[in-house]
Amino acid sequence: METYEYSDLKYLEEKNNFYKKLLFQSPDLIFQFNLPKKGKLHFSFLSKSVITHFELAPHEKSSDAITVLKSRILPEDYLGFLQSIHESRLSREWIHEFRAMLPIRGLRWYKATATVGSNEDGSVDFYGKVTDITAYKEQELRLKLSEQRFLFALEASSEGIWDLDVKTQKVFYSSQSMKMLEFEAEDTIDSIDMWDNRVHPSDKEQYLVDIQLHINNVTPYYENAQRVLTQSGEYKWILSRGKIIERDARNRPLRIIGTHTDISAQKEKEKALQQTVEIVGAQNSRLLNFAHIVSHNLRSHSGNIKMLLDIISEETEQEIIRESFTHLRSSSHALTQTIDHLKELVEIQTELIHKRENLNINKYLGKTLDILAEEINKNKVVIKNTICSEQTITFNPAYLESILLNFTSNAIKYSHPERRPVISYSMVVKNSQKVLKIRDNGLGINLERHGKKIFGMYKTFHKNQDSRGIGLFITKNQIEAMGGTVAVQSQVGKGTTFKIYFNE
């Protein structure tokens, strides 16, 4: 049996206490574990700092070390942790970095270093420490982000740079981005609301939708053009582009970096181009409208003249012939006026100006009824006119004649076969706007079925052989060309009311 002197024991005790103090004071986790040739990894020693490092609860202090490590190390890092240990069996050193999720301090980075020694039984011993390197990693990440910003700035040239920290909702705005909003040209870190609150209300919804689509991985990058309020109170068109450059373990975005480009000049050019397109479109529309007016109006006159000539050629009674000649003169006079109006209309289209005159409604309604006199008599149509004899509107003469002719002829054409046709004309003033109402008691239109296409070209809603689907299309275009609107109310089997709202 080996014996020791008291002084030797005292020395050993002091030395042991010294090492215990070193272990206790060390911020690192000191460990020793054994990896057998076959079997599970076993920790021979762990310093008490393991409690601080991994925030162990009381019931975890007596748990198996491997179980505790597995509960703390991120799942995507755990297999790599074990694999690095096995790969270090034959080397003399083990170095590995991993992440752990702690209950209080959250995500932490650690670095494990150890000396590796082999035993005669084939097992391997690891002696080393685990160091918290979170601060170093954060600094490394900041340097990496700075490099990314620098590279992105080089690629972006004169464009503004922005860098969003999703967690803090803080954004780095480059000096160029601030300059676009007419602020002092210097790099700034501010809340995301600094920019968002300046986005035009009409653009904000799509602006937020486009960002969310990229966050949800629906789009490979974010891009949106929005109007942004500058310091002077004016709006500028800014094209924002961005891309997520970092996500967390759950694939949630952590950082989004992107650019700002002032596209106000481009938008002004687009606006000018759009105005040019609209002018050309309006010209084409007026040209088409004019062609339909010529066809429709002249056909009505020629049809009426043909009918009167047929009556004259077939009739033997002199009284009826004289009366027909009277109507023929009226129709001929009306045709001449229509041609005159069409000539004026050509001049209007050429000058791109819609000529307006102060027109007496009853005078033009009288012309319409004269043109359609034979149809009115043949169908025994009852005309009810409550429009004041002095009532006028400021409108285009050719358009007004065409509008009254279309609505009246349609009311006759689509009269109900089981009752005498009645067409009523009235005029009211609604909110300082003159409204002409033309009501009939005819077949009516199913608005639930045809309401959206009632004013469409070549759209017909009754089985009438003479229906061509042009009249209402022409009429609507004429009214809108003069700045007015038209509305319709109708019930199948009861009749239809058209309301023309004049813009004077």
Side-chain angles (χ1 to χ4, degrees):
M1 179 177 179
E2 189 175 1
T3 60
Y4 292 91
E5 293 292 332
Y6 176 80
S7 60
D8 294 332
L9 291 172
K10 185 71 174 176
Y11 171 77
L12 291 173
E13 183 178 355
E14 289 175 354
K15 194 172 184 179
N16 187 48
N17 289 334
F18 172 75
Y19 286 130
K20 283 183 178 179
K21 288 179 180 179
L22 283 178
L23 288 173
F24 182 80
Q25 293 296 328
S26 173
D28 296 331
L29 165 62
I30 309 300
F31 66 83
Q32 176 191 356
F33 64 81
N34 177 267
L35 182 63
K37 192 173 183 179
K38 293 183 179 179
K40 295 183 178 180
L41 183 149
H42 170 70
F43 278 84
S44 306
F45 175 80
L46 283 172
S47 63
K48 290 185 178 180
S49 58
V50 68
I51 297 173
T52 305
H53 273 280
F54 295 111
E55 299 177 359
L56 300 185
H59 70 279
E60 292 179 309
K61 293 178 182 178
S62 58
S63 298
D64 177 70
I66 291 295
T67 302
V68 172
L69 286 174
K70 189 173 183 180
S71 69
R72 295 294 192 270
I73 297 176
L74 291 183
E76 54 266 41
D77 287 6
Y78 185 70
L79 290 178
F81 176 87
L82 295 180
Q83 184 177 353
S84 69
I85 292 174
H86 283 281
E87 290 175 349
S88 302
R89 294 173 64 103
L90 302 179
S91 68
R92 299 184 63 83
E93 189 178 40
W94 175 53
I95 301 175
H96 184 69
E97 294 179 358
F98 60 95
R99 294 171 296 174
M101 183 61 71
L102 306 185
I104 298 175
R105 289 184 294 163
L107 183 68
R108 308 295 294 179
W109 275 93
Y110 291 98
K111 182 177 183 179
T113 58
T115 300
V116 182
S118 300
N119 301 317
E120 293 181 356
D121 61 358
S123 65
V124 180
D125 287 325
F126 289 72
Y127 305 86
K129 64 179 182 178
V130 174
T131 305
D132 188 332
I133 60 169
T134 304
Y136 168 80
K137 280 291 182 180
E138 288 176 348
Q139 178 64 22
E140 183 180 65
L141 180 59
R142 282 193 289 269
L143 289 173
K144 182 181 177 182
L145 290 171
S146 295
E147 291 176 358
Q148 290 172 333
R149 290 172 186 165
F150 176 73
L151 292 174
F152 204 92
L154 290 177
E155 294 175 359
S157 185
S158 61
E159 295 180 340
I161 307 296
W162 56 271
D163 184 354
L164 169 63
D165 184 327
V166 177
K167 186 175 181 180
T168 64
Q169 291 292 286
K170 294 290 185 182
V171 184
F172 164 84
Y173 298 100
S174 72
S175 58
Q176 187 66 19
S177 289
M178 299 304 293
K179 185 179 179 181
M180 288 179 190
L181 300 187
E182 301 173 3
F183 288 101
E184 187 174 348
E186 61 180 13
D187 294 348
T188 304
I189 295 177
D190 206 329
S191 167
I192 192 174
D193 293 335
M194 191 281 289
W195 189 278
D196 289 0
N197 291 342
R198 290 178 173 273
V199 175
H200 194 284
S202 299
D203 301 336
K204 194 164 188 177
E205 182 179 355
Q206 189 60 48
Y207 161 74
L208 296 174
V209 166
D210 288 341
I211 293 176
Q212 196 61 45
L213 286 174
H214 178 50
I215 290 174
N216 295 339
N217 274 331
V218 176
T219 55
Y221 57 89
Y222 153 70
E223 182 173 297
N224 176 270
Q226 72 264 187
R227 285 166 289 180
V228 185
L229 187 66
T230 65
Q231 192 178 30
S232 65
E234 299 293 328
Y235 279 97
K236 279 187 178 181
W237 275 102
I238 306 295
L239 177 63
S240 296
R241 292 190 179 99
K243 188 174 180 63
I244 297 169
I245 61 170
E246 185 182 1
R247 292 181 181 269
D248 64 14
R250 299 182 182 179
N251 204 37
R252 293 174 299 195
L254 295 176
R255 285 191 176 274
I256 308 175
I257 192 168
T259 63
H260 289 137
T261 307
D262 186 346
I263 58 170
S264 299
Q266 177 185 331
K267 283 290 184 179
E268 286 298 322
K269 291 179 181 178
E270 290 178 0
K271 183 179 179 181
L273 179 60
Q274 181 62 34
Q275 289 174 342
T276 302
V277 171
E278 289 174 357
I279 290 172
V280 173
Q283 289 174 329
N284 290 336
S285 177
R286 283 191 289 268
L287 181 61
L288 180 63
N289 196 30
F290 173 72
H292 286 309
I293 290 173
V294 172
S295 173
H296 192 271
N297 287 17
L298 295 185
R299 195 169 72 92
S300 297
H301 290 299
S302 63
N304 192 46
I305 291 172
K306 182 180 180 302
M307 182 186 297
L308 291 169
L309 290 173
D310 288 342
I311 292 173
I312 292 170
S313 64
E314 295 174 3
E315 190 58 55
T316 57
E317 292 186 22
Q318 292 300 314
E319 184 63 30
I320 295 177
I321 293 174
R322 281 193 297 270
E323 185 180 348
S324 297
F325 269 115
T326 302
H327 288 304
L328 185 59
R329 290 191 189 93
S330 297
S331 295
S332 176
H333 180 68
L335 175 59
T336 301
Q337 285 188 319
T338 298
I339 293 173
D340 289 339
H341 287 152
L342 291 175
K343 181 184 175 183
E344 291 179 15
L345 193 58
V346 170
E347 294 173 356
I348 290 170
Q349 308 306 326
T350 304
E351 296 176 7
L352 299 178
I353 298 173
H354 294 291
K355 184 177 180 181
R356 292 175 180 266
E357 293 181 11
N358 194 36
L359 308 176
N360 183 287
I361 288 286
N362 278 294
K363 179 181 177 181
Y364 277 80
L365 179 57
K367 289 182 180 180
T368 299
L369 299 179
D370 286 342
I371 293 170
L372 299 173
E374 289 300 322
E375 288 293 318
I376 292 172
N377 292 332
K378 184 173 71 174
N379 293 279
K380 299 180 180 179
V381 179
V382 176
I383 301 296
K384 294 183 178 181
N385 179 14
T386 60
I387 300 173
C388 174
S389 61
E390 302 301 321
Q391 183 65 64
T392 60
I393 60 166
T394 304
F395 209 73
N396 181 277
Y399 282 3
L400 182 58
E401 181 179 335
S402 178
I403 290 167
L404 293 172
L405 191 60
N406 271 319
F407 281 131
T408 304
S409 61
N410 276 353
I412 297 171
K413 186 184 298 182
Y414 302 114
S415 60
H416 200 287
E418 297 179 1
R419 55 177 172 261
R420 191 173 183 180
V422 177
I423 306 175
S424 302
Y425 303 87
S426 62
M427 197 152 195
V428 297
V429 178
K430 187 175 183 180
N431 298 326
S432 300
Q433 185 178 32
K434 294 176 182 178
V435 183
L436 173 63
K437 294 183 181 180
I438 302 176
R439 183 173 61 188
D440 64 57
N441 64 341
L443 295 172
I445 303 169
N446 187 337
L447 294 182
E448 290 185 4
R449 183 176 179 183
H450 304 298
K452 292 183 179 179
K453 56 185 179 180
I454 189 171
F455 292 105
M457 184 181 287
Y458 305 123
K459 302 297 182 182
T460 58
F461 314 106
H462 298 290
K463 296 178 180 179
N464 189 304
Q465 293 181 351
D466 296 330
S467 298
R468 296 183 300 126
I470 289 294
L472 290 182
F473 171 78
I474 294 173
T475 301
K476 182 175 184 291
N477 276 268
Q478 292 167 337
I479 294 169
E480 291 180 348
M482 300 302 295
T485 57
V486 59
V488 59
Q489 296 174 338
S490 187
Q491 283 185 289
V492 176
K494 293 187 177 181
T496 302
T497 300
F498 287 97
K499 295 180 181 180
I500 302 107
Y501 295 81
F502 296 97
N503 179 12
E504 298 189 282

